[in-house]
Amino acid sequence: VLALGLKFILKCNKDLTPEIASSIQPTSRLLPPGMDYSLSYDTAAILNSYSPSTDRQADNLSTTQRRALHTLKKKKSALRFLPADKGNATVVVTHQQYHDKMLAHLNSGGYIPF
């Protein structure tokens, strides 16, 4: 899964229509009169034209990749996911490893405190 890179976008397996509709209503109240109705009407038209059964694209991860991603998500609080210096790779380190590496880098003499 990490080989896909940090910019890889997962397909959503959930219908987000209710969340989208409920998040637009409070925002539309902040618009000038007339525009709020237009935004609500246009949004409703777009959401009504969406069909979860036909518009949802197939999952772009294999079962093994999905399982690996789920495992990484459970360990997210203990890990840091960083882009590698070169190439389209992802580096995974623990928070302690990251902290130690940063301290070593700062204490290497290339930086001065201000």
Side-chain angles (χ1 to χ4, degrees), residues 5 10 15 36 38 48 91 104 106:
L10 295 170
D15 181 11
D36 57 342
S38 176
N48 286 334
V91 178
L106 291 172

Side-chain angles (χ1 to χ4, degrees), residues 87-109:
N88 187 26
T90 304
V91 178
V92 182
V93 294
T94 65
H95 285 292
Q96 187 61 46
Q97 288 172 324
Y98 180 78
H99 186 262
D100 292 346
K101 189 71 170 173
M102 294 306 297
L103 283 178
H105 190 63
L106 291 172
N107 294 328
S108 67

Side-chain angles (χ1 to χ4, degrees), residues 20-93:
I20 293 171
S22 63
S23 67
I24 288 177
Q25 289 174 347
T27 306
S28 68
R29 292 186 191 119
L30 302 173
L31 296 172
M35 287 184 73
D36 57 342
Y37 177 76
S38 176
L39 176 66
S40 298
Y41 180 79
D42 292 344
T43 303
I46 291 168
L47 293 177
N48 286 334
S49 69
Y50 172 73
S51 171
S53 59
T54 57
D55 291 343
R56 187 175 297 147
Q57 297 178 356
D59 194 357
N60 59 352
L61 290 179
S62 68
T63 304
T64 305
Q65 290 172 325
R66 179 71 57 191
R67 197 174 307 123
L69 184 63
H70 183 70
T71 303
L72 287 172
K73 279 184 176 180
K74 285 196 284 188
K75 297 179 182 181
K76 185 178 180 181
S77 62
L79 301 173
R80 292 192 71 112
F81 301 90
L82 308 166
D85 290 338
K86 295 181 182 174
N88 187 26
T90 304
V91 178
V92 182
V93 294

